[in-house]
């Protein structure tokens, strides 16, 4: 008998409480989102226009997909600082596959996404097998990805001028008469996929188990190292999708782009209620957190708040979200 299968039910029981305890945080996060929308709608007549709402959703898609992947890692009690530059590297590699090597667009897209999974695999390998702390391991991968993106591209953007269909991946519309870009639908699909994996599969159960009590999970016969590598690889898969979407939106792979995206993704995860100490979190909360970040940034921009003050406000929101997480853990 496989000890991991024998312990699946035990692990499932352990994670029921964290899932239920996250429901209140989801409600509070959603209420905060509604308050922000109402405030900016009253403050400016330009906010609640269809074109602006679509713009918010479009800007949420890339950060949101990154955040969905980071959610898996943070629930295990880890962190991934590499997703921003790894996303850029995936964009560059997609450009190499399609523009430089002449691969068909669908194949280039798939390879670009798989390259993200490979980057996540390397991070997981460093954390699980080499026992390097996640902060240091993913910081190193972040720097490697940043350097490789610049080296491979020759520090110049890679344009998809010969493949006009590539930009339609993010900016095209699949529903006639409804001007919602494909990137928004892809974000929705990835959110549903993440929700199913996290809440309905063995991968999700072990994700929570690692974050709740890694040592107990190991003693119960679970191959902790293998599952860590799998979880980081899944997070990398989301990074690859975000990289392809980013390149499609810009119709180019920008090798200097991406640094800082990891902080926005982590902020969205924390604002959505995922605990930085691990063991608690939901995909629905992450989606709400990503929307809060986009609505806040968009609303401040519409109100003509200077960029530097926008950054200050977002930083304050992150501090409040982390403090709320600390209070929840103290009451638990």
């Amino acid at each position: 008998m496989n000890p991991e299968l024998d312990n699946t039910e035990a692990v499932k029981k352990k994670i029921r409480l964290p899932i239920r305890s996250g429901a209140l945080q989801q409600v509070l996060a959603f209420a905060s989102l509604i308050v922000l929308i109402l405030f900016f709608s009253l403050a400016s007549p330009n906010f609640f226009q269809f074109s602006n709402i679509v713009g918010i959703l479009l800007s949420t898609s890339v950060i949101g997909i990154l955040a969905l992947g980071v959610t898996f890692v943070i629930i295990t009690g880890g962190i991934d600082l590499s997703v921003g530059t790894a996303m850029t590297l995936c964009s560059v590699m997609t450009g190499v596959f399609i523009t430089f090597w002449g691969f068909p667009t669908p194949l280039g897209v798939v390879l670009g996404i798989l390259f993200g999974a490979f980057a996540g695999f390397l991070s997981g390998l460093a954390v699980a097998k080499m026992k390097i702390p996640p902060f240091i391991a993913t910081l190193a991968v972040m720097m490697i990805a940043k350097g490789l993106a610049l080296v491979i591209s020759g520090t110049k953007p890679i344009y998809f001028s010969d493949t006009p269909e590539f930009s339609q991946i993010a900016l095209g519309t699949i529903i006639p008469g409804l001007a919602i870009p494909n990137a928004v639908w892809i974000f929705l699909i990835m959110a549903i996929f993440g929700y199913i994996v996290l809440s309905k599969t063995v991968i999700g159960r072990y994700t929570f188990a690692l974050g709740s009590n890694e040592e107990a999970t190991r003693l119960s016969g679970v191959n902790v190292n293998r599952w860590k590598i799998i979880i980081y690889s899944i997070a990398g898969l989301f990074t690859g999708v975000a990289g392809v979407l980013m390149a499609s939106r810009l119709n180019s792979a920008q090798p200097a782009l991406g640094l800082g995206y990891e902080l926005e993704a982590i902020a969205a995860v924390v604002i959505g209620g995922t605990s930085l100490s691990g063991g608690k979190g939901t995909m629905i909360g992450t989606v709400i957190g990503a929307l809060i970040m986009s609505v806040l940034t968009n609303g401040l921009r519409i109100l003509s708040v200077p960029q530097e003050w926008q950054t200050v406000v977002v930083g304050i929101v992150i501090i409040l979200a982390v403090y709320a997480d600390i209070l929840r853990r103290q009451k638990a």
Side-chain angles (χ1 to χ4, degrees):
M1 294 291 289
N2 188 334
E4 293 188 7
L5 294 179
D6 292 340
N7 287 287
T8 298
E9 289 302 318
V11 171
K12 188 189 299 185
K13 291 178 181 178
K14 289 180 182 179
I15 66 171
R16 282 174 184 163
L17 182 57
I19 291 177
R20 290 188 189 123
S21 64
L24 177 60
Q25 177 60 25
Q26 288 180 32
V27 172
L28 293 175
F30 185 71
S32 300
L33 176 61
I34 297 300
V35 169
L36 282 175
I37 292 174
L38 290 175
F39 172 78
F40 288 123
S41 298
L42 294 173
S44 172
N46 298 321
F47 179 81
F48 207 71
Q49 293 183 356
F50 181 76
S51 59
N52 190 56
I53 296 301
V54 170
I56 291 173
L57 294 175
L58 183 60
S59 65
T60 305
S61 59
V62 171
I63 291 296
I65 292 174
L66 283 179
L68 292 171
V70 172
T71 302
F72 284 96
V73 175
I74 293 181
I75 289 176
T76 66
I79 197 75
D80 193 345
L81 299 178
S82 69
V83 292
T85 55
M87 175 192 73
T88 301
L89 182 57
C90 291
S91 296
V92 169
M93 292 307 301
T94 303
V96 169
F97 295 139
I98 296 175
T99 302
F100 290 173
W101 294 358
F103 288 0
T105 299
L107 178 59
V109 167
V110 171
L111 291 176
I113 294 173
L114 291 178
F115 199 87
F118 177 68
F121 170 81
L122 293 179
S123 294
L125 200 64
V127 172
K129 293 295 187 180
M130 300 175 69
K131 305 302 179 185
I132 300 174
F135 183 91
I136 302 299
T138 58
L139 178 63
V141 174
M142 177 185 77
M143 298 175 69
I144 292 170
K146 179 182 178 182
L148 285 177
L150 293 169
V151 170
I152 294 172
S153 65
T155 70
K156 297 179 182 179
I158 302 174
Y159 295 97
F160 297 89
S161 304
D162 296 332
T163 52
E165 70 276 7
F166 182 74
S167 65
Q168 295 303 302
I169 295 174
L171 301 179
T173 55
I174 58 176
I175 301 180
L178 187 60
I180 297 180
N182 292 337
V184 177
W185 299 114
I186 293 172
F187 173 41
L188 177 62
I189 291 170
M190 295 304 295
I192 294 172
F193 171 72
Y195 171 81
I196 292 173
V197 172
L198 188 62
S199 61
K200 305 295 182 181
T201 70
V202 174
I203 296 173
R205 289 194 279 274
Y206 286 128
T207 299
F208 281 106
L210 288 174
S212 298
N213 194 325
E214 181 177 328
E215 186 59 27
T217 304
R218 179 183 289 106
L219 293 175
S220 67
V222 175
N223 189 332
V224 169
N225 290 339
R226 186 179 74 179
W227 285 105
K228 276 188 179 180
I229 293 173
I230 291 173
I231 291 165
Y232 274 87
S233 298
I234 290 175
L237 192 71
F238 282 83
T239 301
V241 173
V244 170
L245 275 187
M246 177 60 78
S248 179
R249 276 182 58 187
L250 302 175
N251 203 30
S252 64
Q254 301 287 337
L257 193 66
L259 194 62
Y261 276 69
E262 67 282 344
L263 300 180
E264 293 188 39
I266 292 171
V269 174
V270 175
I271 290 172
T274 298
S275 175
L276 286 171
S277 61
K280 296 180 182 179
T282 64
M283 288 297 167
I284 296 175
T286 295
V287 170
I288 295 173
L291 287 171
I292 288 175
M293 291 285 292
S294 295
V295 168
L296 183 61
T297 302
N298 180 272
L300 293 174
R301 188 179 299 119
I302 283 182
L303 294 180
S304 300
V305 175
Q307 178 65 45
E308 55 270 23
W309 282 107
Q310 293 180 31
T311 305
V312 170
V313 172
V314 172
I316 292 173
V317 170
I318 294 172
I319 289 176
L320 293 176
V322 174
Y323 182 61
D325 177 46
I326 293 173
L327 293 179
R328 286 197 307 272
R329 293 204 306 268
Q330 290 176 346
K331 293 179 180 179

